Amino acid sequence: MTDDTWGRICQDLEKTIGKNNFVTWIAPLEFRALEDGVARFGVPTSFVGDWVNRNFGDRILEQLARNGVPVDRLEFSVAAGRSGADRHAQKPAAAQPQADAKAEADMPGAPLDARFTFDTFVTGKPNELAHAAARRVGEGGAVTFNPLFLYGGVGLGKTHLMHAIAWELRERAPEKTVVYLSAEQFMYRFVQALRERDMMGFKSLFRSVDVLMVDDVQFIAGKDSTQEEFFHTFNALVDQNKQIVISADRAPGEIKDLEERIKSRLQCGLVVDLHPTDYELRLGILQQKVDLYRMQYPGLVICDGVLEFLAHRISTNVRVLEGALTRLFAFASLVGKEITLELAQDCLADILRATDRKVTIEEIQRKVSEHYNMRLADMIGPKRHRTIARPRQIAMWLSKQLTQRSLPEIGRRFGGRDHTTVMHAVKRIEELRGSDPQIAEDLELLRRMLEA
Ligand code: ADP
Ligand code: MG
């Protein structure tokens, strides 16, 4: 192939992928050679090579073939003597691929899961705030809170919501460049850019997005230079009034080994947590999944009480719940049986056993006394001062909630107290839970710690 032919192909490519994309990605390519069905190109950085290959590879092959140069494969190697950083510096707009390129890959981001949309997200009390905030961001209107920080335990729907935002934005604001990636991928990109001395490219790429979503940001805790770079990217985008969405497994302030200034930056926007699922939400999710499966297996029969049983017994996280249902369906359709309670118990014995972790009264007493800075012995001792009696009541309430023990039994474990004392404590805490937000928060926290 002559340089002329490549020139002609370039003209065709420019027409199909648009001028912006062309200038950014194709113009920097330097055609080197064609041997054994492989077309070799020099690229300023391997990032450009990867990107071109992923997003425009097929089109380049197609144009080559059209111009009478059938090629099996493209190969990109970094051109010696060229500095990637310089090239990017001249083109700050380097990272603005147009919509057609975006449709194939999300900039440097990760692919989106087609199942994770708002349509398939079941809402309930534990996640309604997070859902509402995500919806708002998905509308793509003016940035009202920045960043949106979503946190919560494993399998509670953080990733699902972030993908849903991205899908929604694609629909409603296709002109926006939306990048979703995990903090791990962010770090990988960063390290790659360092290695290739292409920090300019990295920076201009991330600073040119309209919406940046970084999942599982706790991952960068303790990784100092990645944190630093994340912080700069974050600030640059906030300054440009670009939307940022972050997720983590805990609140910003509770992420260990994360710089203070990053913590406080992360707290600037809206921080919402996904609470552990409650029974109603789990049942809702199961029902939705069943509806979806029904389309796949129309003959499926689920007996009454099975979903309720699962929602009641599998309270860890939604992923486990889904896994249980999938297995149940697979099994039932294989053996051609209807799904009864017995079948479910049989088929899911291991999952049910694993989630059956029993919280003990001793554990509750220990956690509560730690939380309120009191001696464990005072849990069962006679002291009646409020600073001790109140935590004791809380421990009794938790014992009632989290264990199967009867009131008299709980009383016995609290230094031989009467069951009416326990009953009174449970009632009192129940009242306070409604009227005192501090207590409500403490209860929630303790419950989470104990159930974890
Ligand atoms: P996280 O990122 O918080 O660990 P994911 O978003 O990956 O959790 O969710 C785990 C699984 O549970 C996914 O398959 C997701 O679709 C499902 N899931 C979680 N919450 C919901 C919900 N409210 N409605 C429907 N599916 C949910
Ligand atoms: Mg996740």
Side-chain angles (χ1 to χ4, degrees):
M1 175 168 71
T2 62
D3 281 352
D4 268 4
T5 320
W6 176 239
R8 240 191 356 264
I9 291 169
C10 281
Q11 284 174 5
D12 290 344
L13 278 169
E14 183 169 350
K15 273 180 223 139
T16 57
I17 67 175
K19 187 166 168 62
N20 254 349
N21 274 327
F22 180 80
V23 169
T24 309
W25 304 110
I26 307 298
L29 302 183
E30 189 186 308
F31 173 67
R32 291 267 185 75
L34 178 67
E35 291 161 354
D36 306 329
V38 181
R40 294 182 211 288
F41 296 88
V43 283
T45 65
S46 71
F47 177 73
V48 171
D50 281 354
W51 176 264
V52 171
N53 203 17
R54 276 227 313 262
N55 293 283
F56 306 112
D58 288 345
R59 266 177 253 194
I60 295 175
L61 288 173
E62 190 190 313
Q63 289 299 338
L64 285 165
R66 280 203 191 165
N67 282 276
V69 192
V71 167
D72 299 329
R73 199 155 58 77
L74 306 174
E75 215 176 82
F76 301 90
S77 46
V78 178
R82 276 211 203 173
S83 155
D86 288 351
R87 292 186 66 82
H88 277 290
Q90 288 156 10
K91 292 196 201 79
Q96 295 251 341
Q98 289 180 323
D100 52 348
K102 261 193 297 174
E104 283 168 38
D106 293 295
M107 286 270 287
L112 300 175
D113 191 312
R115 296 165 306 169
F116 293 176
T117 61
F118 282 125
D119 284 347
T120 58
F121 192 82
V122 182
T123 55
K125 222 163 180 314
N127 62 22
E128 64 184 345
L129 200 59
H131 172 258
R135 277 268 188 200
R136 171 63 63 83
V137 173
E139 286 169 7
V143 175
T144 44
F145 33 76
N146 218 1
L148 168 60
F149 190 101
L150 299 169
Y151 77 93
V154 176
L156 297 181
K158 301 180 293 294
T159 300
H160 189 136
L161 279 178
M162 290 175 110
H163 286 213
I165 292 173
W167 285 120
E168 193 76 5
L169 284 169
R170 271 201 188 168
E171 192 117 307
R172 294 181 175 227
E175 74 287 355
K176 290 201 168 155
T177 310
V178 179
V179 169
Y180 163 87
L181 80 175
S182 65
E184 192 175 358
Q185 287 163 327
F186 180 87
M187 183 182 87
Y188 172 77
R189 285 275 172 213
F190 170 63
V191 171
Q192 192 184 29
L194 282 179
R195 206 174 46 223
E196 294 174 356
R197 305 215 182 102
D198 187 22
M199 277 313 292
M200 287 297 290
F202 177 89
K203 281 179 195 291
S204 64
L205 192 70
F206 277 98
R207 280 160 180 61
S208 71
V209 307
D210 296 307
V211 180
L212 178 67
M213 298 199 258
V214 183
D215 206 350
D216 289 319
V217 83
Q218 74 277 355
F219 180 84
I220 62 165
K223 307 196 168 69
D224 292 343
S225 47
T226 303
Q227 271 190 46
E228 178 86 19
E229 191 53 39
F230 174 76
F231 183 66
H232 294 316
T233 306
F234 184 97
N235 287 338
L237 289 172
V238 169
D239 287 347
Q240 295 176 61
N241 212 17
K242 302 293 180 61
Q243 180 72 54
I244 299 177
V245 183
I246 305 285
S247 86
D249 63 355
R250 62 200 72 186
E254 287 167 26
I255 304 177
K256 259 204 279 171
D257 297 325
L258 192 67
E259 276 184 57
E260 277 313 316
R261 55 180 188 161
I262 300 184
K263 285 185 190 174
S264 62
R265 261 313 217 169
L266 290 173
Q267 278 157 342
C268 282
L270 180 65
V271 178
V272 272
D273 64 340
L274 289 136
H275 294 269
T277 56
D278 58 17
Y279 172 79
E280 288 80 15
L281 179 59
R282 289 193 294 272
L283 193 59
I285 291 172
L286 287 170
Q287 266 152 358
Q288 183 211 234
K289 304 277 167 206
V290 168
D291 290 345
L292 290 175
Y293 274 107
R294 279 250 169 73
M295 289 190 242
Q296 237 175 311
Y297 309 103
L300 203 73
V301 180
I302 299 185
C303 299
D304 283 350
V306 172
L307 296 185
E308 287 78 3
F309 170 75
L310 295 178
H312 182 66
R313 289 289 300 275
I314 305 179
S315 57
T316 41
N317 76 48
V318 182
R319 201 170 294 140
V320 176
L321 199 62
E322 283 181 346
L325 203 59
T326 308
R327 191 199 298 176
L328 205 52
F329 285 143
F331 186 75
S333 71
L334 270 176
V335 298
K337 283 190 189 158
E338 58 184 32
I339 300 177
T340 59
L341 204 54
E342 290 72 47
L343 183 94
Q345 276 165 332
D346 243 28
C347 172
L348 303 173
D350 56 334
I351 297 179
L352 293 170
R353 224 177 302 120
T355 61
D356 216 17
R357 204 183 79 84
K358 293 257 188 302
V359 180
T360 64
I361 293 181
E362 286 68 33
E363 257 175 286
I364 294 172
Q365 292 173 331
R366 193 152 30 78
K367 271 274 181 290
V368 174
S369 29
E370 273 168 23
H371 184 77
Y372 290 102
N373 253 327
M374 58 182 265
R375 290 170 36 221
L376 182 58
D378 284 337
M379 272 289 163
I380 49 179
K383 288 193 189 153
R384 299 178 64 170
H385 190 271
R386 246 268 291 261
T387 53
I388 287 169
R390 185 55 39 84
R392 191 188 288 133
Q393 289 180 320
I394 286 178
M396 288 179 178
W397 182 85
L398 284 163
S399 303
K400 183 78 191 78
Q401 298 290 317
L402 303 179
T403 74
Q404 305 289 322
R405 306 277 172 229
S406 64
L407 294 178
E409 223 177 323
I410 295 174
R412 266 200 300 285
R413 306 287 197 90
F414 280 82
R417 287 178 160 80
D418 194 67
H419 79 276
T420 53
T421 308
V422 182
M423 203 153 66
H424 172 72
V426 170
K427 238 177 85 193
R428 183 78 190 113
I429 297 302
E430 201 55 54
E431 283 163 14
L432 286 170
R433 192 158 82 114
S435 60
D436 183 337
Q438 181 59 53
I439 295 236
E441 197 174 299
D442 282 3
L443 292 174
E444 187 56 38
L445 185 77
L446 284 163
R447 197 217 323 243
R448 253 200 237 186
M449 288 196 298
L450 286 160
E451 282 183 337

